């Protein structure tokens, strides 16, 4: 089973992408640019694509912390709950980051939080740039943005989610070009060799694993990383640490390993609709 974690801000179309991958209405969706949560807790969906078995985790969307700090920290904590669940199952194969076309230049902080803090830079990220039927930029312009902001993704596609089916509109016609693009991306990542990094990069990462006792981050170090690396405001950092249940100074955040490499090196490349019922454990920061 290939484990995929779908993340992104509220209203960016995460659940629509899940339904597009499945070719049917599995995940609840919100209409248009509605910023209300349509996903209340992370939810897993077993989906087969071209004879490849995937376990796709849909997560709660997060608003900007300035708009709703409590909702933001709870959504991030819930996403960490999904990461922990996948950690217990051997790790994450792919982090699928969904972002609206209009928000792509603002994703840097969230990218660092998910990729660097939660996943220790080990889990490959693919980006899905979504829109709802309007004009969309060229792929070359996206690459320039990713390069400028140092967003390292193994692949990226554009997807029109305007006609994606949901529980209230299961008969809506899907954009087949977008559907095929996202399915090809998943299969490509699934088939990719786990150790395709240049030799020197592989040696460097092996050295890091050799000298480090584990992948966890102590609470104080986490706070420093969140405010410094992710540019998170101190008050938001404090609330997020609390939402992650890291009350004790000795608490640690345990990061998700890369499933293919069992935390080694790489570059790229249950029951239906079960939901979270366990608590986020104590842990977090490097």
């Amino acid at each position: 089973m290939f484990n995929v974690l779908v993340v992104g801000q509220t209203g960016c179309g995460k659940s629509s992408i899940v339904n597009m991958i499945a070719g049917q209405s599995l995940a609840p969706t919100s209409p248009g640019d509605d910023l209300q949560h349509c996903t209340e807790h992370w939810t897993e969906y077993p989906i087969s694509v071209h004879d490849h078995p995937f376990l796709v985790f849909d997560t709660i969307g997060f608003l900007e912390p300035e708009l709703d700090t409590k909702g933001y920290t709870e959504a991030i904590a819930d996403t960490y709950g999904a990461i922990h669940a996948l950690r217990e199952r051997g790790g994450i194969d792919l982090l699928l980051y969904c972002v609206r076309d209009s928000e792509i230049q603002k994703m840097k902080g969230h990218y660092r939080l998910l990729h660097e803090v939660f996943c220790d830079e080990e889990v490959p990220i693919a980006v899905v740039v979504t829109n709802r039927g309007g004009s969309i930029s060229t792929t070359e312009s996206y690459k320039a943005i990713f390069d400028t902001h140092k967003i390292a993704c193994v692949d990226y596609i554009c997807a029109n989610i305007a006609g994606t089916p949901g529980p209230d509109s299961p008969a809506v016609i899907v954009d087949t070009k977008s559907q095929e693009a996202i399915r090809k991306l998943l299969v490509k990542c699934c088939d990719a060799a786990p150790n395709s990094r240049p030799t020197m990069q592989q040696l460097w990462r092996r050295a890091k694993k050799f000298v480090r006792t584990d992948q966890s981050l102590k609470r104080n170090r986490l706070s420093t990383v969140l405010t410094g690396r992710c540019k998170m405001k101190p008050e938001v950092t404090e609330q997020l640490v609390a939402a992650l249940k890291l009350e004790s100074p000795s608490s640690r955040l345990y990061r998700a390993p890369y499933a293919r490499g069992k935390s080694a090196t790489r570059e790229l490349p249950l029951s239906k609709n079960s939901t979270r019922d366990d608590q986020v454990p104590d842990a977090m920061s490097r």
Side-chain angles (χ1 to χ4, degrees):
M1 190 72 75
F2 191 87
N3 297 328
V4 180
L5 185 68
V6 184
V7 298
Q9 290 184 275
T10 300
C12 71
K14 296 181 307 302
S15 298
S16 294
I17 291 297
V18 171
N19 292 338
M20 185 176 287
I21 294 169
Q24 58 179 304
S25 177
L26 295 179
T29 58
S30 56
D33 293 321
D34 186 359
L35 296 183
Q36 296 298 313
H37 292 304
C38 57
T39 302
E40 297 299 329
H41 294 295
W42 60 262
T43 308
E44 59 183 283
Y45 301 97
I47 300 172
S48 179
V49 178
H50 302 322
D51 297 323
H52 290 68
F54 293 92
L55 192 58
V56 180
F57 280 64
D58 191 13
T59 60
I60 298 179
F62 42 85
L63 292 169
E64 290 296 333
E66 293 79 8
L67 298 177
D68 181 6
T69 302
K70 184 175 184 293
Y72 171 79
T73 56
E74 289 178 350
I76 295 298
D78 191 83
T79 297
Y80 176 65
I83 289 174
H84 176 70
L86 281 167
R87 182 174 182 270
E88 293 297 305
R89 302 185 195 188
I92 304 173
D93 290 287
L94 181 69
L95 198 157
L96 196 64
Y97 194 116
C98 299
V99 58
R100 290 186 293 267
D101 179 59
S102 59
E103 300 288 329
I104 194 169
Q105 299 202 47
K106 302 178 182 179
M107 65 179 285
K108 186 175 182 178
H110 293 131
Y111 163 82
R112 287 178 172 177
L113 172 64
L114 295 164
H115 182 51
E116 299 178 13
V117 179
F118 281 179
C119 296
D120 198 25
E121 301 183 69
E122 283 297 308
V123 178
I125 286 187
V127 178
V128 179
V129 182
T130 65
N131 84 336
R132 297 184 183 274
S135 60
I136 200 162
S137 303
T138 63
T139 54
E140 291 77 12
S141 65
Y142 294 136
K143 184 179 187 306
I145 294 172
F146 296 148
D147 291 344
T148 298
H149 294 290
K150 294 181 172 57
I151 295 171
C153 57
V154 296
D155 206 347
Y156 60 94
I157 64 163
C158 307
N160 174 19
I161 60 172
T164 307
D168 298 326
S169 55
V172 173
I173 299 175
V174 175
D175 185 308
T176 55
K177 185 177 180 180
S178 296
Q179 182 181 53
E180 188 57 25
I182 183 63
R183 287 177 170 178
K184 283 184 177 180
L185 182 150
L186 290 181
V187 171
K188 175 183 175 181
C189 292
C190 184
D191 289 341
N195 289 313
S196 58
R197 284 189 184 276
T199 301
M200 289 306 295
Q201 271 194 330
Q202 293 191 32
L203 292 174
W204 167 245
R205 286 186 172 270
R206 286 172 184 165
K208 283 175 62 180
K209 299 304 176 186
F210 179 76
V211 300
R212 190 185 303 173
T213 56
D214 59 38
Q215 290 181 284
S216 66
L217 293 173
K218 288 185 178 179
R219 173 186 164 179
N220 290 342
R221 176 58 181 159
L222 170 65
S223 297
T224 301
V225 172
L226 292 177
T227 55
R229 186 66 179 161
C230 301
K231 308 302 180 186
M232 195 174 288
K233 292 182 178 180
E235 58 270 24
V236 178
T237 294
E238 183 178 346
Q239 290 190 45
L240 178 55
V241 169
L244 289 164
K245 304 185 184 302
L246 303 175
E247 292 86 356
S248 169
S250 61
S251 297
R252 290 176 176 270
L253 175 81
Y254 292 94
R255 275 90 73 83
Y258 173 54
R260 291 287 185 94
K262 299 299 181 187
S263 296
T265 58
R266 62 84 204 72
E267 169 150 294
L268 200 147
L270 326 136
S271 64
K272 184 177 180 180
N273 295 357
S274 61
T275 57
R276 181 192 68 171
D277 54 17
D278 54 342
Q279 296 295 317
V280 177
D282 285 348
M284 190 159 192
S285 203
R286 171 158 56 185

